[in-house]
Amino acid sequence: MSTALLNEVDHELRDIETMFQSLEQAVGMDMREELLALFYPTLDECLQGLQQAIPAQDAGQIISFAHKLKGAAGQLGATRIAQQSKDIEMQAKRSELSDIAPAFDVLQTLCAAVKAKLLGV
């Protein structure tokens, strides 16, 4: 893993931890396990959907999956995943479909690294 990616993952994990701490203070209980249990299937579904929609150049599906992932990541406090998803969503809305594959590669790598760290793998 490159130094830049390690830094991004570390920042993402700190943002997620900050969100967990804020939520625990607000509701008085640790919601980490519940939120992650909801996030992982959404993450996997959206990445798989994007993996199929991007080569097919299906802008509607790209927008839908990127938007859904953006929201799920935002709720978790995963600001970098949310921003990368938003960038992909906006590229699809502007019909810049040829530019999406490299952005998706970055998103996939970031998501895999963050998920692995959260799972303790």
Side-chain angles (χ1 to χ4, degrees), residues 40-66:
Y40 294 141
T42 301
L43 173 67
D44 294 341
E45 172 197 348
C46 292
L47 290 177
Q48 289 171 358
L50 287 167
Q51 194 165 29
Q52 294 173 359
I54 291 169
Q57 296 197 342
D58 186 337
Q61 287 287 33
I62 295 168
I63 292 165
S64 178
F65 284 117

PDB file of all heavy atoms in Angstrom, residues 40-66:
ATOM      1  N   TYR A  40     -21.507  -2.263   5.493  1.00  0.00           N
ATOM      2  CA  TYR A  40     -20.780  -3.229   4.654  1.00  0.00           C
ATOM      3  C   TYR A  40     -21.609  -3.765   3.480  1.00  0.00           C
ATOM      4  O   TYR A  40     -21.120  -3.775   2.351  1.00  0.00           O
ATOM      5  CB  TYR A  40     -20.237  -4.392   5.483  1.00  0.00           C
ATOM      6  CG  TYR A  40     -19.171  -4.011   6.478  1.00  0.00           C
ATOM      7  CD1 TYR A  40     -19.138  -4.593   7.733  1.00  0.00           C
ATOM      8  CD2 TYR A  40     -18.183  -3.068   6.183  1.00  0.00           C
ATOM      9  CE1 TYR A  40     -18.157  -4.256   8.665  1.00  0.00           C
ATOM     10  CE2 TYR A  40     -17.207  -2.724   7.108  1.00  0.00           C
ATOM     11  CZ  TYR A  40     -17.204  -3.328   8.348  1.00  0.00           C
ATOM     12  OH  TYR A  40     -16.236  -3.001   9.260  1.00  0.00           O
ATOM     13  N   PRO A  41     -22.858  -4.204   3.703  1.00  0.00           N
ATOM     14  CA  PRO A  41     -23.627  -4.692   2.545  1.00  0.00           C
ATOM     15  C   PRO A  41     -23.900  -3.600   1.505  1.00  0.00           C
ATOM     16  O   PRO A  41     -23.871  -3.860   0.303  1.00  0.00           O
ATOM     17  CB  PRO A  41     -24.938  -5.199   3.151  1.00  0.00           C
ATOM     18  CG  PRO A  41     -24.657  -5.407   4.592  1.00  0.00           C
ATOM     19  CD  PRO A  41     -23.563  -4.431   4.956  1.00  0.00           C
ATOM     20  N   THR A  42     -24.135  -2.385   1.975  1.00  0.00           N
ATOM     21  CA  THR A  42     -24.362  -1.267   1.048  1.00  0.00           C
ATOM     22  C   THR A  42     -23.095  -0.977   0.258  1.00  0.00           C
ATOM     23  O   THR A  42     -23.142  -0.772  -0.963  1.00  0.00           O
ATOM     24  CB  THR A  42     -24.822  -0.013   1.818  1.00  0.00           C
ATOM     25  OG1 THR A  42     -26.026  -0.323   2.531  1.00  0.00           O
ATOM     26  CG2 THR A  42     -25.072   1.153   0.872  1.00  0.00           C
ATOM     27  N   LEU A  43     -21.969  -0.969   0.938  1.00  0.00           N
ATOM     28  CA  LEU A  43     -20.680  -0.752   0.273  1.00  0.00           C
ATOM     29  C   LEU A  43     -20.466  -1.797  -0.817  1.00  0.00           C
ATOM     30  O   LEU A  43     -20.171  -1.461  -1.967  1.00  0.00           O
ATOM     31  CB  LEU A  43     -19.553  -0.810   1.303  1.00  0.00           C
ATOM     32  CG  LEU A  43     -18.124  -0.758   0.764  1.00  0.00           C
ATOM     33  CD1 LEU A  43     -17.833   0.604   0.157  1.00  0.00           C
ATOM     34  CD2 LEU A  43     -17.135  -1.079   1.871  1.00  0.00           C
ATOM     35  N   ASP A  44     -20.640  -3.059  -0.457  1.00  0.00           N
ATOM     36  CA  ASP A  44     -20.425  -4.145  -1.419  1.00  0.00           C
ATOM     37  C   ASP A  44     -21.395  -4.052  -2.597  1.00  0.00           C
ATOM     38  O   ASP A  44     -20.993  -4.202  -3.750  1.00  0.00           O
ATOM     39  CB  ASP A  44     -20.561  -5.508  -0.730  1.00  0.00           C
ATOM     40  CG  ASP A  44     -19.465  -5.755   0.298  1.00  0.00           C
ATOM     41  OD1 ASP A  44     -18.407  -5.070   0.246  1.00  0.00           O
ATOM     42  OD2 ASP A  44     -19.667  -6.629   1.166  1.00  0.00           O
ATOM     43  N   GLU A  45     -22.658  -3.786  -2.302  1.00  0.00           N
ATOM     44  CA  GLU A  45     -23.667  -3.670  -3.359  1.00  0.00           C
ATOM     45  C   GLU A  45     -23.327  -2.540  -4.330  1.00  0.00           C
ATOM     46  O   GLU A  45     -23.389  -2.715  -5.560  1.00  0.00           O
ATOM     47  CB  GLU A  45     -25.043  -3.406  -2.740  1.00  0.00           C
ATOM     48  CG  GLU A  45     -26.123  -3.086  -3.755  1.00  0.00           C
ATOM     49  CD  GLU A  45     -27.357  -2.446  -3.152  1.00  0.00           C
ATOM     50  OE1 GLU A  45     -27.512  -2.437  -1.911  1.00  0.00           O
ATOM     51  OE2 GLU A  45     -28.172  -1.930  -3.935  1.00  0.00           O
ATOM     52  N   CYS A  46     -22.953  -1.402  -3.792  1.00  0.00           N
ATOM     53  CA  CYS A  46     -22.665  -0.240  -4.642  1.00  0.00           C
ATOM     54  C   CYS A  46     -21.405  -0.445  -5.472  1.00  0.00           C
ATOM     55  O   CYS A  46     -21.378  -0.102  -6.660  1.00  0.00           O
ATOM     56  CB  CYS A  46     -22.577   1.018  -3.796  1.00  0.00           C
ATOM     57  SG  CYS A  46     -24.167   1.512  -3.088  1.00  0.00           S
ATOM     58  N   LEU A  47     -20.372  -1.001  -4.879  1.00  0.00           N
ATOM     59  CA  LEU A  47     -19.145  -1.248  -5.639  1.00  0.00           C
ATOM     60  C   LEU A  47     -19.388  -2.262  -6.745  1.00  0.00           C
ATOM     61  O   LEU A  47     -18.915  -2.088  -7.871  1.00  0.00           O
ATOM     62  CB  LEU A  47     -18.021  -1.715  -4.712  1.00  0.00           C
ATOM     63  CG  LEU A  47     -17.459  -0.655  -3.759  1.00  0.00           C
ATOM     64  CD1 LEU A  47     -16.413  -1.264  -2.839  1.00  0.00           C
ATOM     65  CD2 LEU A  47     -16.902   0.546  -4.504  1.00  0.00           C
ATOM     66  N   GLN A  48     -20.149  -3.309  -6.440  1.00  0.00           N
ATOM     67  CA  GLN A  48     -20.467  -4.302  -7.475  1.00  0.00           C
ATOM     68  C   GLN A  48     -21.318  -3.678  -8.581  1.00  0.00           C
ATOM     69  O   GLN A  48     -21.096  -3.945  -9.767  1.00  0.00           O
ATOM     70  CB  GLN A  48     -21.188  -5.507  -6.862  1.00  0.00           C
ATOM     71  CG  GLN A  48     -20.286  -6.374  -6.018  1.00  0.00           C
ATOM     72  CD  GLN A  48     -21.041  -7.448  -5.236  1.00  0.00           C
ATOM     73  OE1 GLN A  48     -22.263  -7.537  -5.288  1.00  0.00           O
ATOM     74  NE2 GLN A  48     -20.301  -8.249  -4.493  1.00  0.00           N
ATOM     75  N   GLY A  49     -22.289  -2.862  -8.188  1.00  0.00           N
ATOM     76  CA  GLY A  49     -23.125  -2.190  -9.176  1.00  0.00           C
ATOM     77  C   GLY A  49     -22.330  -1.259 -10.064  1.00  0.00           C
ATOM     78  O   GLY A  49     -22.508  -1.239 -11.288  1.00  0.00           O
ATOM     79  N   LEU A  50     -21.427  -0.500  -9.466  1.00  0.00           N
ATOM     80  CA  LEU A  50     -20.571   0.400 -10.245  1.00  0.00           C
ATOM     81  C   LEU A  50     -19.636  -0.387 -11.154  1.00  0.00           C
ATOM     82  O   LEU A  50     -19.395   0.011 -12.300  1.00  0.00           O
ATOM     83  CB  LEU A  50     -19.764   1.315  -9.319  1.00  0.00           C
ATOM     84  CG  LEU A  50     -20.558   2.427  -8.639  1.00  0.00           C
ATOM     85  CD1 LEU A  50     -19.754   3.060  -7.524  1.00  0.00           C
ATOM     86  CD2 LEU A  50     -21.000   3.469  -9.658  1.00  0.00           C
ATOM     87  N   GLN A  51     -19.145  -1.507 -10.660  1.00  0.00           N
ATOM     88  CA  GLN A  51     -18.231  -2.335 -11.455  1.00  0.00           C
ATOM     89  C   GLN A  51     -18.914  -2.840 -12.734  1.00  0.00           C
ATOM     90  O   GLN A  51     -18.269  -3.003 -13.759  1.00  0.00           O
ATOM     91  CB  GLN A  51     -17.746  -3.509 -10.608  1.00  0.00           C
ATOM     92  CG  GLN A  51     -16.568  -4.230 -11.193  1.00  0.00           C
ATOM     93  CD  GLN A  51     -15.921  -5.135 -10.162  1.00  0.00           C
ATOM     94  OE1 GLN A  51     -16.566  -5.644  -9.251  1.00  0.00           O
ATOM     95  NE2 GLN A  51     -14.622  -5.334 -10.291  1.00  0.00           N
ATOM     96  N   GLN A  52     -20.212  -3.035 -12.676  1.00  0.00           N
ATOM     97  CA  GLN A  52     -20.951  -3.462 -13.863  1.00  0.00           C
ATOM     98  C   GLN A  52     -21.416  -2.272 -14.707  1.00  0.00           C
ATOM     99  O   GLN A  52     -21.406  -2.342 -15.938  1.00  0.00           O
ATOM    100  CB  GLN A  52     -22.162  -4.303 -13.451  1.00  0.00           C
ATOM    101  CG  GLN A  52     -21.781  -5.620 -12.818  1.00  0.00           C
ATOM    102  CD  GLN A  52     -22.975  -6.374 -12.257  1.00  0.00           C
ATOM    103  OE1 GLN A  52     -24.110  -5.905 -12.323  1.00  0.00           O
ATOM    104  NE2 GLN A  52     -22.715  -7.539 -11.685  1.00  0.00           N
ATOM    105  N   ALA A  53     -21.839  -1.207 -14.051  1.00  0.00           N
ATOM    106  CA  ALA A  53     -22.419  -0.070 -14.762  1.00  0.00           C
ATOM    107  C   ALA A  53     -21.378   0.759 -15.513  1.00  0.00           C
ATOM    108  O   ALA A  53     -21.670   1.305 -16.578  1.00  0.00           O
ATOM    109  CB  ALA A  53     -23.176   0.833 -13.780  1.00  0.00           C
ATOM    110  N   ILE A  54     -20.165   0.840 -14.983  1.00  0.00           N
ATOM    111  CA  ILE A  54     -19.144   1.685 -15.611  1.00  0.00           C
ATOM    112  C   ILE A  54     -18.736   1.164 -16.981  1.00  0.00           C
ATOM    113  O   ILE A  54     -18.771   1.918 -17.956  1.00  0.00           O
ATOM    114  CB  ILE A  54     -17.944   1.914 -14.668  1.00  0.00           C
ATOM    115  CG1 ILE A  54     -18.396   2.800 -13.494  1.00  0.00           C
ATOM    116  CG2 ILE A  54     -16.769   2.549 -15.398  1.00  0.00           C
ATOM    117  CD1 ILE A  54     -17.412   2.897 -12.352  1.00  0.00           C
ATOM    118  N   PRO A  55     -18.382  -0.126 -17.129  1.00  0.00           N
ATOM    119  CA  PRO A  55     -18.035  -0.600 -18.478  1.00  0.00           C
ATOM    120  C   PRO A  55     -19.217  -0.535 -19.451  1.00  0.00           C
ATOM    121  O   PRO A  55     -19.028  -0.337 -20.648  1.00  0.00           O
ATOM    122  CB  PRO A  55     -17.601  -2.047 -18.268  1.00  0.00           C
ATOM    123  CG  PRO A  55     -17.406  -2.234 -16.823  1.00  0.00           C
ATOM    124  CD  PRO A  55     -18.162  -1.154 -16.122  1.00  0.00           C
ATOM    125  N   ALA A  56     -20.432  -0.682 -18.913  1.00  0.00           N
ATOM    126  CA  ALA A  56     -21.633  -0.597 -19.751  1.00  0.00           C
ATOM    127  C   ALA A  56     -21.988   0.846 -20.079  1.00  0.00           C
ATOM    128  O   ALA A  56     -22.881   1.097 -20.898  1.00  0.00           O
ATOM    129  CB  ALA A  56     -22.806  -1.277 -19.052  1.00  0.00           C
ATOM    130  N   GLN A  57     -21.296   1.801 -19.451  1.00  0.00           N
ATOM    131  CA  GLN A  57     -21.548   3.234 -19.599  1.00  0.00           C
ATOM    132  C   GLN A  57     -23.017   3.582 -19.344  1.00  0.00           C
ATOM    133  O   GLN A  57     -23.625   4.380 -20.047  1.00  0.00           O
ATOM    134  CB  GLN A  57     -21.071   3.733 -20.966  1.00  0.00           C
ATOM    135  CG  GLN A  57     -19.577   3.596 -21.123  1.00  0.00           C
ATOM    136  CD  GLN A  57     -19.020   4.421 -22.261  1.00  0.00           C
ATOM    137  OE1 GLN A  57     -19.736   4.860 -23.155  1.00  0.00           O
ATOM    138  NE2 GLN A  57     -17.729   4.662 -22.197  1.00  0.00           N
ATOM    139  N   ASP A  58     -23.557   2.958 -18.297  1.00  0.00           N
ATOM    140  CA  ASP A  58     -24.937   3.179 -17.881  1.00  0.00           C
ATOM    141  C   ASP A  58     -24.959   4.324 -16.861  1.00  0.00           C
ATOM    142  O   ASP A  58     -24.838   4.108 -15.654  1.00  0.00           O
ATOM    143  CB  ASP A  58     -25.506   1.889 -17.276  1.00  0.00           C
ATOM    144  CG  ASP A  58     -26.978   1.978 -16.934  1.00  0.00           C
ATOM    145  OD1 ASP A  58     -27.491   3.102 -16.741  1.00  0.00           O
ATOM    146  OD2 ASP A  58     -27.614   0.908 -16.846  1.00  0.00           O
ATOM    147  N   ALA A  59     -25.108   5.536 -17.374  1.00  0.00           N
ATOM    148  CA  ALA A  59     -25.025   6.725 -16.518  1.00  0.00           C
ATOM    149  C   ALA A  59     -26.047   6.689 -15.395  1.00  0.00           C
ATOM    150  O   ALA A  59     -25.735   7.054 -14.257  1.00  0.00           O
ATOM    151  CB  ALA A  59     -25.201   7.990 -17.357  1.00  0.00           C
ATOM    152  N   GLY A  60     -27.258   6.234 -15.681  1.00  0.00           N
ATOM    153  CA  GLY A  60     -28.299   6.189 -14.649  1.00  0.00           C
ATOM    154  C   GLY A  60     -27.915   5.295 -13.483  1.00  0.00           C
ATOM    155  O   GLY A  60     -28.091   5.665 -12.314  1.00  0.00           O
ATOM    156  N   GLN A  61     -27.381   4.130 -13.791  1.00  0.00           N
ATOM    157  CA  GLN A  61     -26.967   3.207 -12.732  1.00  0.00           C
ATOM    158  C   GLN A  61     -25.735   3.735 -11.998  1.00  0.00           C
ATOM    159  O   GLN A  61     -25.629   3.582 -10.789  1.00  0.00           O
ATOM    160  CB  GLN A  61     -26.678   1.815 -13.302  1.00  0.00           C
ATOM    161  CG  GLN A  61     -27.919   1.063 -13.702  1.00  0.00           C
ATOM    162  CD  GLN A  61     -28.718   0.564 -12.500  1.00  0.00           C
ATOM    163  OE1 GLN A  61     -28.780   1.179 -11.449  1.00  0.00           O
ATOM    164  NE2 GLN A  61     -29.324  -0.581 -12.665  1.00  0.00           N
ATOM    165  N   ILE A  62     -24.809   4.327 -12.724  1.00  0.00           N
ATOM    166  CA  ILE A  62     -23.626   4.908 -12.086  1.00  0.00           C
ATOM    167  C   ILE A  62     -24.058   5.976 -11.087  1.00  0.00           C
ATOM    168  O   ILE A  62     -23.604   5.984  -9.929  1.00  0.00           O
ATOM    169  CB  ILE A  62     -22.650   5.492 -13.127  1.00  0.00           C
ATOM    170  CG1 ILE A  62     -22.074   4.372 -14.007  1.00  0.00           C
ATOM    171  CG2 ILE A  62     -21.535   6.278 -12.435  1.00  0.00           C
ATOM    172  CD1 ILE A  62     -21.330   4.872 -15.232  1.00  0.00           C
ATOM    173  N   ILE A  63     -24.940   6.845 -11.511  1.00  0.00           N
ATOM    174  CA  ILE A  63     -25.435   7.909 -10.637  1.00  0.00           C
ATOM    175  C   ILE A  63     -26.115   7.308  -9.404  1.00  0.00           C
ATOM    176  O   ILE A  63     -25.867   7.730  -8.267  1.00  0.00           O
ATOM    177  CB  ILE A  63     -26.395   8.844 -11.399  1.00  0.00           C
ATOM    178  CG1 ILE A  63     -25.622   9.645 -12.459  1.00  0.00           C
ATOM    179  CG2 ILE A  63     -27.148   9.767 -10.442  1.00  0.00           C
ATOM    180  CD1 ILE A  63     -26.495  10.324 -13.492  1.00  0.00           C
ATOM    181  N   SER A  64     -26.956   6.321  -9.623  1.00  0.00           N
ATOM    182  CA  SER A  64     -27.705   5.704  -8.526  1.00  0.00           C
ATOM    183  C   SER A  64     -26.782   5.052  -7.494  1.00  0.00           C
ATOM    184  O   SER A  64     -26.903   5.303  -6.286  1.00  0.00           O
ATOM    185  CB  SER A  64     -28.685   4.677  -9.091  1.00  0.00           C
ATOM    186  OG  SER A  64     -29.375   4.036  -8.044  1.00  0.00           O
ATOM    187  N   PHE A  65     -25.865   4.211  -7.960  1.00  0.00           N
ATOM    188  CA  PHE A  65     -24.971   3.519  -7.029  1.00  0.00           C
ATOM    189  C   PHE A  65     -23.994   4.485  -6.349  1.00  0.00           C
ATOM    190  O   PHE A  65     -23.722   4.356  -5.155  1.00  0.00           O
ATOM    191  CB  PHE A  65     -24.207   2.396  -7.728  1.00  0.00           C
ATOM    192  CG  PHE A  65     -25.055   1.177  -7.985  1.00  0.00           C
ATOM    193  CD1 PHE A  65     -25.303   0.760  -9.280  1.00  0.00           C
ATOM    194  CD2 PHE A  65     -25.587   0.440  -6.936  1.00  0.00           C
ATOM    195  CE1 PHE A  65     -26.077  -0.367  -9.527  1.00  0.00           C
ATOM    196  CE2 PHE A  65     -26.360  -0.692  -7.169  1.00  0.00           C
ATOM    197  CZ  PHE A  65     -26.613  -1.098  -8.473  1.00  0.00           C
ATOM    198  N   ALA A  66     -23.473   5.440  -7.096  1.00  0.00           N
ATOM    199  CA  ALA A  66     -22.537   6.404  -6.504  1.00  0.00           C
ATOM    200  C   ALA A  66     -23.256   7.259  -5.459  1.00  0.00           C
ATOM    201  O   ALA A  66     -22.702   7.536  -4.389  1.00  0.00           O
ATOM    202  CB  ALA A  66     -21.915   7.278  -7.590  1.00  0.00           C
TER     203      ALA A  66
END
